[in-house]
């Protein structure tokens, strides 16, 4: 007797539903996508009890006639593609013809729909995949789908549902995605009879983001500087450097209008932000990647969350560069704040020009009291302390910002003469207090120095390689095969970074020099640490990125220590150098280097303004 049997249609739908309808939020996703594909201008989503008891999606889209309405409930029935060739370039959100029958097979389902000019519409009731009623109905033109008691006939599935609150949050997240992906569509979300949000059709993405997250959040975003010409177009908004979250929840990426999760894009974002992100943090992005539908495959996963790019490296490059350009473009705004001709109200607390005087002599007579306090405190902390001589083998008074320089080194860029900021003093031997046009600025001198060193080293690495220092005695060491393989693969980069390493037999290496800025007593131990740290971090990224990682990790240890006292000229140079950096506002680990407290904020704090 044969054992293979065709599954009844309902069971087949339920199997498909297993992939498409994971939870109430997936129902919302599919229904809203259908509404958008139907050209809706307004979509209302109403849920009860986390969508478990009710999901209703109402749109004003094109609607369906009765035949189509019945057909839409059949599996593999779709109006969006006709042939296998169409699969190559999908321009709609849906195309699989699976969602409606899948949803209808695991819930109590009601569809009402009416075409714009039709006299009457259609109402269809389906229970657990079985059509119960078909009759005239449907009020306004458009479509309304109601899904009640999801998984009522699949107790196993129901058990996997989370609390109503969790399910609601997932639905809300899904709606955010759709609302951001389609700012020109109005959205209303009602939960348990309460309006959660009501988003009018917006003129553009920025308006939509403002409506969703508030004006203050939008202030923290930068408009993406995309390349206008190429095959891959980027647009949207991304968080300024230093703006981050500890989950990926606000790292949103849309490919041709579809919210997707994609490892290539995730990696590209991480790389684009690179040193502007703290470890374990994720950027905030509303990134839109638009490209020829033919060069992206959306038919990867039944829930259509994933996409595959035909040429992933092109997409990656475009995104990395787009993000980098955008983050760096923000620098000019910052520099402006330090340049604007401000009516600096305070007399200099310390001599303003880069005099060589090692000691600071505050002009007590001219100073407002608190400024002179800072200056006094400054005076104490400005004393010269012997630097650990091994840190950077350069003259001591240069160690703030200069690296040991070879004759080939280009002169650092001259700071513009019109910079306008006033150093007030140093707080707690760490925070430089300054005044600029906008108000008060606090600079973390350690973080600032890290950023400067980092960019300087990176430049050198890109240009001629980091200068290295010979070891007294070259050392040989063995590595486990995987580490050895990693070193072999990256030996050129390591050498560019000033690490003199070469193969010395299978799995054996010889090291004879280290970068000058590294003061490791044990070269082998240092190498081991470098391998451990970089191996995991940089598996997939470029050699350059590896170099950056390496620099970022080592720089920290050698930047000015938190409580290293600096003299005024050093401080001034530090700030000027910082403002010249590509990303002045965060250290190579993504921590902020400066905090601006505006006059307005101060006035608010002191109750002068509300
Ligand atoms: P798909 O979206 O992949 O085509 P669905 O099962 O989600 O498959 O929908 C089947 C068909 O039903 C769609 O192709 C579309 O023609 C029609 N349809 C679904 N929802 C709507 C709607 N809200 N408005 C108009 N037509 C719809
Ligand atoms: Mg669909």
């Amino acid at each position: 007797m044969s054992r293979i049997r065709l599954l009844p249609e309902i069971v087949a739908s339920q199997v498909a539903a297993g992939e498409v309808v994971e939870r109430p939020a997936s129902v919302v996703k599919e229904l809203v996508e259908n509404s958008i594909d139907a050209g809706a201008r307004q979509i209302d989503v109403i849920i009860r009890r986390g969508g478990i008891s009710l999901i209703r999606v109402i749109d004003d889209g094109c609607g369906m006639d009765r035949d189509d309405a019945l057909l839409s409930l059949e599996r593999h029935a779709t109006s969006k593609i006709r042939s296998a060739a169409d699969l190559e370039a999908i321009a709609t959100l849906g195309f699989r013809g699976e969602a409606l029958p899948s949803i209808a097979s695991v819930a109590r389902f009601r569809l009402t729909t009416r075409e714009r000019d039709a006299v009457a519409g259609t109402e269809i009731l389906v229970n657990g995949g079985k059509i119960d009623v078909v009759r005239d109905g449907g009020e306004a033109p458009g479509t309304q789908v109601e899904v009640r008691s999801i998984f009522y006939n699949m107790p196993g599935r129901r058990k996997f549902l989370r609390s109503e609150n969790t399910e609601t949050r997932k639905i809300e997240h899904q709606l955010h995605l759709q609302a951001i992906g389609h700012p020109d569509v109005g959205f209303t979300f009602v939960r348990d009879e309460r309006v959660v949000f009501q988003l009018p059709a917006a003129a553009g993405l920025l308006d939509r983001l403002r409506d969703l997250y508030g004006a203050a959040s939008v202030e923290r975003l930068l408009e993406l500087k995309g390349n206008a010409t190429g095959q891959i177009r980027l647009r949207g908004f991304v968080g300024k450097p230093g703006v981050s979250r500890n989950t990926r929840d606000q790292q949103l990426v849309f490919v041709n209008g579809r919210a997707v999760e994609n490892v290539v894009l995730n990696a590209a974002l991480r790389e684009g932000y690179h040193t502007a992100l703290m470890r374990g943090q994720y950027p905030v992005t509303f990134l839109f990647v638009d490209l020829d539908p033919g060069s992206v495959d959306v038919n990867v996963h039944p829930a259509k969350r994933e996409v595959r790019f035909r040429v992933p490296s092109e997409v990656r490059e475009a995104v990395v560069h787009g993000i980098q350009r955008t983050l760096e473009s923000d620098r000019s705004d910052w520099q402006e704040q330090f340049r604007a001709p401000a009516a600096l109200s305070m007399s200099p607390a310390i001599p303003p020009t880069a005099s060589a005087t090692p000691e600071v002599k505050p002009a007590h007579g001219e100073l407002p009291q608190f400024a002179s306090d800072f200056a006094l405190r400054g005076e104490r902390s400005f004393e010269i302390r012997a630097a650990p001589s091994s840190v950077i083998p350069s003259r001591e008074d240069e160690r703030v910002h200069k690296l040991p320089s070879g004759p080939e080194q280009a002169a650092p860029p001259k700071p513009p003469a019109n910079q306008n900021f006033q150093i007030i003093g140093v707080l707690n031997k760490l925070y430089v207090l300054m005044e600029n046009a906008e108000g008060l600025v606090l600079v973390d001198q350690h973080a600032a120095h890290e950023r400067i060193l980092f960019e300087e080293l990176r430049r050198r690495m890109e240009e001629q390689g980091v200068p290295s220092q010979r070891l007294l005695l070259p050392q040989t060491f063995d590595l486990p095969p995987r580490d050895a393989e990693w070193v072999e693969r990256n030996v050129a980069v390591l050498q560019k970074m000033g690490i003199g390493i070469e193969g010395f037999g299978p799995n054996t290496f010889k090291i004879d020099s280290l970068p000058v800025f590294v003061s490791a007593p044990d070269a082998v131990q240092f190498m081991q640490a470098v391998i451990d740290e970089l191996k995991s971090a940089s598996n997939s990224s470029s050699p350059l990125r590896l170099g950056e990682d390496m620099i970022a990790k080592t720089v920290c240890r050698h930047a000015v220590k938190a409580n290293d006292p600096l003299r005024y000229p050093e401080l001034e140079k530090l700030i000027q150098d910082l403002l010249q950096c590509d990303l002045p506002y965060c250290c190579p680990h993504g921590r902020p280097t400066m905090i601006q407290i505006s006059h307005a904020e101060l006035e608010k704090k002191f109750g002068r303004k509300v």
Side-chain angles (χ1 to χ4, degrees), residues 30 33-34 37 80 94-95 99 304:
E30 294 296 336
E33 286 188 349
N34 279 348
D37 281 344
K80 300 171 193 175
F95 58 89
K304 299 162 289 174

Side-chain angles (χ1 to χ4, degrees), residues 380-409:
R380 251 176 284 129
S381 63
F382 286 159
E383 73 198 290
I384 307 171
R385 246 188 20 184
S389 55
S390 59
V391 172
I392 297 178
S394 67
R395 272 170 302 149
E396 215 222 20
D397 58 352
E398 285 182 352
R399 72 197 172 79
V400 179
H401 50 266
K402 284 198 189 149
L403 289 161
S405 50
E408 75 291 348
Q409 189 204 356

